[in-house]
Amino acid sequence: MTDKDAILLHKVKNSDKIAFKTLFFNYHDTLFRFVQYKIQDGDIAEDITQETFLRVWKMRSKLKSNKSFFSLIARISTNLCYDHFRHNEVRQRHESLIPRNNDSQTNPPEEKVLSTFLEDEIQKIVETELPEKCRQVFILSRVEKLSNNEISESLGISVRTVENQIYRAIKILKKKLKNYL
């Protein structure tokens, strides 16, 4: 780590936005390439890169100017990459359990009626059977289409808790809908 980085980190620790902007521009491209190598998707890599710098800013009061800045952002971004992969794994594992509304014109009318009935049943179960936190997480995930990280930050809970609540909601839905599936 250079003396210049140490000075910038000290300034960032004291909420100096210009110093933070300097670090951002100095390390953005390198971090982006580091993340893209792991993720293999430019859009997601950019999101993770941005989220990494956002987290650095949020934790600026705890920064140590004698530690390598790149090591810090590499660790944060690596954890965000792991979160991304875990989230995708959970989504793929549970995606088949969630009924889909296929309003294609090839569906016979009785299928459309059944689909509407099933949607109503799901909504009723979500509103009456799911515990409050579970319902909140499920709606943010499946209706609002937020990522687990976004839900975690929005509700101030861990990504693991988000995953557990989604799993719990799907388990309850599957149990309550077993006669329809």
PDB file of all heavy atoms in Angstrom, residues 119-140:
ATOM      1  N   GLU A 119     -53.772 -18.735  -8.094  1.00  0.00           N
ATOM      2  CA  GLU A 119     -53.193 -17.454  -7.692  1.00  0.00           C
ATOM      3  C   GLU A 119     -53.912 -16.883  -6.474  1.00  0.00           C
ATOM      4  O   GLU A 119     -53.283 -16.360  -5.553  1.00  0.00           O
ATOM      5  CB  GLU A 119     -53.250 -16.449  -8.842  1.00  0.00           C
ATOM      6  CG  GLU A 119     -52.243 -16.711  -9.923  1.00  0.00           C
ATOM      7  CD  GLU A 119     -52.368 -15.732 -11.086  1.00  0.00           C
ATOM      8  OE1 GLU A 119     -52.938 -14.633 -10.898  1.00  0.00           O
ATOM      9  OE2 GLU A 119     -51.896 -16.075 -12.169  1.00  0.00           O
ATOM     10  N   ASP A 120     -55.251 -16.972  -6.473  1.00  0.00           N
ATOM     11  CA  ASP A 120     -56.038 -16.490  -5.329  1.00  0.00           C
ATOM     12  C   ASP A 120     -55.700 -17.276  -4.065  1.00  0.00           C
ATOM     13  O   ASP A 120     -55.580 -16.701  -2.979  1.00  0.00           O
ATOM     14  CB  ASP A 120     -57.540 -16.578  -5.620  1.00  0.00           C
ATOM     15  CG  ASP A 120     -57.992 -15.601  -6.701  1.00  0.00           C
ATOM     16  OD1 ASP A 120     -57.235 -14.641  -6.991  1.00  0.00           O
ATOM     17  OD2 ASP A 120     -59.092 -15.801  -7.254  1.00  0.00           O
ATOM     18  N   GLU A 121     -55.548 -18.590  -4.205  1.00  0.00           N
ATOM     19  CA  GLU A 121     -55.195 -19.436  -3.060  1.00  0.00           C
ATOM     20  C   GLU A 121     -53.820 -19.064  -2.512  1.00  0.00           C
ATOM     21  O   GLU A 121     -53.621 -18.963  -1.303  1.00  0.00           O
ATOM     22  CB  GLU A 121     -55.213 -20.923  -3.445  1.00  0.00           C
ATOM     23  CG  GLU A 121     -56.579 -21.533  -3.495  1.00  0.00           C
ATOM     24  CD  GLU A 121     -57.275 -21.505  -2.148  1.00  0.00           C
ATOM     25  OE1 GLU A 121     -56.738 -22.031  -1.153  1.00  0.00           O
ATOM     26  OE2 GLU A 121     -58.384 -20.946  -2.087  1.00  0.00           O
ATOM     27  N   ILE A 122     -52.875 -18.852  -3.416  1.00  0.00           N
ATOM     28  CA  ILE A 122     -51.523 -18.472  -3.000  1.00  0.00           C
ATOM     29  C   ILE A 122     -51.564 -17.148  -2.253  1.00  0.00           C
ATOM     30  O   ILE A 122     -50.972 -17.004  -1.183  1.00  0.00           O
ATOM     31  CB  ILE A 122     -50.568 -18.398  -4.212  1.00  0.00           C
ATOM     32  CG1 ILE A 122     -50.322 -19.797  -4.771  1.00  0.00           C
ATOM     33  CG2 ILE A 122     -49.255 -17.720  -3.838  1.00  0.00           C
ATOM     34  CD1 ILE A 122     -49.599 -19.809  -6.107  1.00  0.00           C
ATOM     35  N   GLN A 123     -52.288 -16.187  -2.808  1.00  0.00           N
ATOM     36  CA  GLN A 123     -52.389 -14.881  -2.162  1.00  0.00           C
ATOM     37  C   GLN A 123     -53.022 -15.004  -0.774  1.00  0.00           C
ATOM     38  O   GLN A 123     -52.557 -14.395   0.185  1.00  0.00           O
ATOM     39  CB  GLN A 123     -53.197 -13.919  -3.032  1.00  0.00           C
ATOM     40  CG  GLN A 123     -53.201 -12.508  -2.502  1.00  0.00           C
ATOM     41  CD  GLN A 123     -53.834 -11.539  -3.486  1.00  0.00           C
ATOM     42  OE1 GLN A 123     -54.151 -11.879  -4.607  1.00  0.00           O
ATOM     43  NE2 GLN A 123     -54.010 -10.316  -3.045  1.00  0.00           N
ATOM     44  N   LYS A 124     -54.054 -15.837  -0.663  1.00  0.00           N
ATOM     45  CA  LYS A 124     -54.719 -16.031   0.633  1.00  0.00           C
ATOM     46  C   LYS A 124     -53.757 -16.673   1.641  1.00  0.00           C
ATOM     47  O   LYS A 124     -53.684 -16.252   2.797  1.00  0.00           O
ATOM     48  CB  LYS A 124     -55.972 -16.892   0.452  1.00  0.00           C
ATOM     49  CG  LYS A 124     -56.807 -17.008   1.717  1.00  0.00           C
ATOM     50  CD  LYS A 124     -58.154 -17.652   1.440  1.00  0.00           C
ATOM     51  CE  LYS A 124     -57.987 -19.122   1.183  1.00  0.00           C
ATOM     52  NZ  LYS A 124     -59.258 -19.853   1.058  1.00  0.00           N
ATOM     53  N   ILE A 125     -53.015 -17.660   1.190  1.00  0.00           N
ATOM     54  CA  ILE A 125     -52.052 -18.326   2.081  1.00  0.00           C
ATOM     55  C   ILE A 125     -50.967 -17.348   2.511  1.00  0.00           C
ATOM     56  O   ILE A 125     -50.600 -17.295   3.688  1.00  0.00           O
ATOM     57  CB  ILE A 125     -51.445 -19.577   1.394  1.00  0.00           C
ATOM     58  CG1 ILE A 125     -52.517 -20.648   1.218  1.00  0.00           C
ATOM     59  CG2 ILE A 125     -50.267 -20.113   2.204  1.00  0.00           C
ATOM     60  CD1 ILE A 125     -52.109 -21.782   0.284  1.00  0.00           C
ATOM     61  N   VAL A 126     -50.455 -16.563   1.557  1.00  0.00           N
ATOM     62  CA  VAL A 126     -49.412 -15.589   1.880  1.00  0.00           C
ATOM     63  C   VAL A 126     -49.935 -14.597   2.918  1.00  0.00           C
ATOM     64  O   VAL A 126     -49.250 -14.261   3.875  1.00  0.00           O
ATOM     65  CB  VAL A 126     -48.914 -14.863   0.602  1.00  0.00           C
ATOM     66  CG1 VAL A 126     -48.070 -13.654   0.942  1.00  0.00           C
ATOM     67  CG2 VAL A 126     -48.125 -15.824  -0.276  1.00  0.00           C
ATOM     68  N   GLU A 127     -51.173 -14.145   2.754  1.00  0.00           N
ATOM     69  CA  GLU A 127     -51.737 -13.141   3.663  1.00  0.00           C
ATOM     70  C   GLU A 127     -52.117 -13.706   5.026  1.00  0.00           C
ATOM     71  O   GLU A 127     -52.016 -13.008   6.034  1.00  0.00           O
ATOM     72  CB  GLU A 127     -52.961 -12.481   3.021  1.00  0.00           C
ATOM     73  CG  GLU A 127     -52.603 -11.607   1.837  1.00  0.00           C
ATOM     74  CD  GLU A 127     -53.828 -11.081   1.092  1.00  0.00           C
ATOM     75  OE1 GLU A 127     -54.964 -11.330   1.538  1.00  0.00           O
ATOM     76  OE2 GLU A 127     -53.627 -10.430   0.057  1.00  0.00           O
ATOM     77  N   THR A 128     -52.559 -14.968   5.078  1.00  0.00           N
ATOM     78  CA  THR A 128     -53.092 -15.494   6.339  1.00  0.00           C
ATOM     79  C   THR A 128     -52.205 -16.522   7.040  1.00  0.00           C
ATOM     80  O   THR A 128     -52.302 -16.678   8.248  1.00  0.00           O
ATOM     81  CB  THR A 128     -54.481 -16.132   6.126  1.00  0.00           C
ATOM     82  OG1 THR A 128     -54.358 -17.231   5.208  1.00  0.00           O
ATOM     83  CG2 THR A 128     -55.472 -15.101   5.593  1.00  0.00           C
ATOM     84  N   GLU A 129     -51.380 -17.235   6.295  1.00  0.00           N
ATOM     85  CA  GLU A 129     -50.622 -18.342   6.881  1.00  0.00           C
ATOM     86  C   GLU A 129     -49.149 -18.040   7.160  1.00  0.00           C
ATOM     87  O   GLU A 129     -48.547 -18.679   8.012  1.00  0.00           O
ATOM     88  CB  GLU A 129     -50.703 -19.576   5.969  1.00  0.00           C
ATOM     89  CG  GLU A 129     -52.106 -20.069   5.701  1.00  0.00           C
ATOM     90  CD  GLU A 129     -52.760 -20.727   6.908  1.00  0.00           C
ATOM     91  OE1 GLU A 129     -52.027 -21.276   7.754  1.00  0.00           O
ATOM     92  OE2 GLU A 129     -53.996 -20.681   6.997  1.00  0.00           O
ATOM     93  N   LEU A 130     -48.582 -17.108   6.410  1.00  0.00           N
ATOM     94  CA  LEU A 130     -47.154 -16.830   6.595  1.00  0.00           C
ATOM     95  C   LEU A 130     -46.948 -15.866   7.760  1.00  0.00           C
ATOM     96  O   LEU A 130     -47.674 -14.869   7.874  1.00  0.00           O
ATOM     97  CB  LEU A 130     -46.549 -16.208   5.328  1.00  0.00           C
ATOM     98  CG  LEU A 130     -46.523 -17.068   4.067  1.00  0.00           C
ATOM     99  CD1 LEU A 130     -45.822 -16.315   2.941  1.00  0.00           C
ATOM    100  CD2 LEU A 130     -45.847 -18.398   4.297  1.00  0.00           C
ATOM    101  N   PRO A 131     -45.969 -16.144   8.609  1.00  0.00           N
ATOM    102  CA  PRO A 131     -45.625 -15.182   9.667  1.00  0.00           C
ATOM    103  C   PRO A 131     -45.218 -13.845   9.046  1.00  0.00           C
ATOM    104  O   PRO A 131     -44.763 -13.801   7.901  1.00  0.00           O
ATOM    105  CB  PRO A 131     -44.436 -15.838  10.378  1.00  0.00           C
ATOM    106  CG  PRO A 131     -44.514 -17.288  10.015  1.00  0.00           C
ATOM    107  CD  PRO A 131     -45.150 -17.349   8.655  1.00  0.00           C
ATOM    108  N   GLU A 132     -45.356 -12.773   9.780  1.00  0.00           N
ATOM    109  CA  GLU A 132     -45.155 -11.417   9.263  1.00  0.00           C
ATOM    110  C   GLU A 132     -43.823 -11.254   8.532  1.00  0.00           C
ATOM    111  O   GLU A 132     -43.778 -10.810   7.399  1.00  0.00           O
ATOM    112  CB  GLU A 132     -45.270 -10.397  10.392  1.00  0.00           C
ATOM    113  CG  GLU A 132     -45.037  -8.958   9.959  1.00  0.00           C
ATOM    114  CD  GLU A 132     -46.002  -8.468   8.889  1.00  0.00           C
ATOM    115  OE1 GLU A 132     -47.167  -8.897   8.871  1.00  0.00           O
ATOM    116  OE2 GLU A 132     -45.576  -7.678   8.025  1.00  0.00           O
ATOM    117  N   LYS A 133     -42.703 -11.593   9.183  1.00  0.00           N
ATOM    118  CA  LYS A 133     -41.383 -11.396   8.572  1.00  0.00           C
ATOM    119  C   LYS A 133     -41.243 -12.266   7.326  1.00  0.00           C
ATOM    120  O   LYS A 133     -40.738 -11.832   6.298  1.00  0.00           O
ATOM    121  CB  LYS A 133     -40.275 -11.729   9.579  1.00  0.00           C
ATOM    122  CG  LYS A 133     -38.863 -11.498   9.073  1.00  0.00           C
ATOM    123  CD  LYS A 133     -38.545 -10.063   8.766  1.00  0.00           C
ATOM    124  CE  LYS A 133     -38.330  -9.273  10.018  1.00  0.00           C
ATOM    125  NZ  LYS A 133     -37.941  -7.898   9.798  1.00  0.00           N
ATOM    126  N   CYS A 134     -41.739 -13.483   7.406  1.00  0.00           N
ATOM    127  CA  CYS A 134     -41.689 -14.421   6.286  1.00  0.00           C
ATOM    128  C   CYS A 134     -42.492 -13.863   5.105  1.00  0.00           C
ATOM    129  O   CYS A 134     -42.036 -13.885   3.960  1.00  0.00           O
ATOM    130  CB  CYS A 134     -42.245 -15.764   6.749  1.00  0.00           C
ATOM    131  SG  CYS A 134     -42.044 -17.098   5.587  1.00  0.00           S
ATOM    132  N   ARG A 135     -43.691 -13.355   5.383  1.00  0.00           N
ATOM    133  CA  ARG A 135     -44.546 -12.772   4.348  1.00  0.00           C
ATOM    134  C   ARG A 135     -43.852 -11.577   3.696  1.00  0.00           C
ATOM    135  O   ARG A 135     -43.816 -11.439   2.484  1.00  0.00           O
ATOM    136  CB  ARG A 135     -45.890 -12.343   4.944  1.00  0.00           C
ATOM    137  CG  ARG A 135     -46.797 -11.615   3.978  1.00  0.00           C
ATOM    138  CD  ARG A 135     -48.175 -11.209   4.514  1.00  0.00           C
ATOM    139  NE  ARG A 135     -48.197 -10.780   5.881  1.00  0.00           N
ATOM    140  CZ  ARG A 135     -48.689 -11.490   6.900  1.00  0.00           C
ATOM    141  NH1 ARG A 135     -49.205 -12.673   6.689  1.00  0.00           N
ATOM    142  NH2 ARG A 135     -48.674 -11.016   8.124  1.00  0.00           N
ATOM    143  N   GLN A 136     -43.278 -10.729   4.541  1.00  0.00           N
ATOM    144  CA  GLN A 136     -42.603  -9.524   4.057  1.00  0.00           C
ATOM    145  C   GLN A 136     -41.456  -9.894   3.107  1.00  0.00           C
ATOM    146  O   GLN A 136     -41.339  -9.341   2.013  1.00  0.00           O
ATOM    147  CB  GLN A 136     -42.087  -8.745   5.273  1.00  0.00           C
ATOM    148  CG  GLN A 136     -41.684  -7.349   5.015  1.00  0.00           C
ATOM    149  CD  GLN A 136     -41.267  -6.644   6.310  1.00  0.00           C
ATOM    150  OE1 GLN A 136     -41.016  -7.267   7.336  1.00  0.00           O
ATOM    151  NE2 GLN A 136     -41.187  -5.336   6.246  1.00  0.00           N
ATOM    152  N   VAL A 137     -40.615 -10.825   3.512  1.00  0.00           N
ATOM    153  CA  VAL A 137     -39.474 -11.258   2.687  1.00  0.00           C
ATOM    154  C   VAL A 137     -39.966 -11.909   1.397  1.00  0.00           C
ATOM    155  O   VAL A 137     -39.460 -11.622   0.311  1.00  0.00           O
ATOM    156  CB  VAL A 137     -38.558 -12.223   3.477  1.00  0.00           C
ATOM    157  CG1 VAL A 137     -37.541 -12.883   2.569  1.00  0.00           C
ATOM    158  CG2 VAL A 137     -37.864 -11.486   4.617  1.00  0.00           C
ATOM    159  N   PHE A 138     -40.975 -12.773   1.496  1.00  0.00           N
ATOM    160  CA  PHE A 138     -41.501 -13.473   0.326  1.00  0.00           C
ATOM    161  C   PHE A 138     -42.054 -12.487  -0.704  1.00  0.00           C
ATOM    162  O   PHE A 138     -41.778 -12.605  -1.901  1.00  0.00           O
ATOM    163  CB  PHE A 138     -42.591 -14.468   0.748  1.00  0.00           C
ATOM    164  CG  PHE A 138     -43.100 -15.310  -0.385  1.00  0.00           C
ATOM    165  CD1 PHE A 138     -42.385 -16.412  -0.831  1.00  0.00           C
ATOM    166  CD2 PHE A 138     -44.294 -15.002  -1.027  1.00  0.00           C
ATOM    167  CE1 PHE A 138     -42.845 -17.186  -1.880  1.00  0.00           C
ATOM    168  CE2 PHE A 138     -44.754 -15.774  -2.082  1.00  0.00           C
ATOM    169  CZ  PHE A 138     -44.036 -16.872  -2.500  1.00  0.00           C
ATOM    170  N   ILE A 139     -42.804 -11.509  -0.257  1.00  0.00           N
ATOM    171  CA  ILE A 139     -43.383 -10.517  -1.168  1.00  0.00           C
ATOM    172  C   ILE A 139     -42.292  -9.689  -1.832  1.00  0.00           C
ATOM    173  O   ILE A 139     -42.325  -9.454  -3.045  1.00  0.00           O
ATOM    174  CB  ILE A 139     -44.411  -9.624  -0.432  1.00  0.00           C
ATOM    175  CG1 ILE A 139     -45.655 -10.458  -0.101  1.00  0.00           C
ATOM    176  CG2 ILE A 139     -44.784  -8.401  -1.260  1.00  0.00           C
ATOM    177  CD1 ILE A 139     -46.653  -9.770   0.809  1.00  0.00           C
ATOM    178  N   LEU A 140     -41.294  -9.267  -1.045  1.00  0.00           N
ATOM    179  CA  LEU A 140     -40.195  -8.502  -1.632  1.00  0.00           C
ATOM    180  C   LEU A 140     -39.437  -9.326  -2.674  1.00  0.00           C
ATOM    181  O   LEU A 140     -39.020  -8.807  -3.705  1.00  0.00           O
ATOM    182  CB  LEU A 140     -39.232  -8.024  -0.542  1.00  0.00           C
ATOM    183  CG  LEU A 140     -39.765  -6.924   0.375  1.00  0.00           C
ATOM    184  CD1 LEU A 140     -38.785  -6.660   1.514  1.00  0.00           C
ATOM    185  CD2 LEU A 140     -40.038  -5.641  -0.392  1.00  0.00           C
TER     186      LEU A 140
END
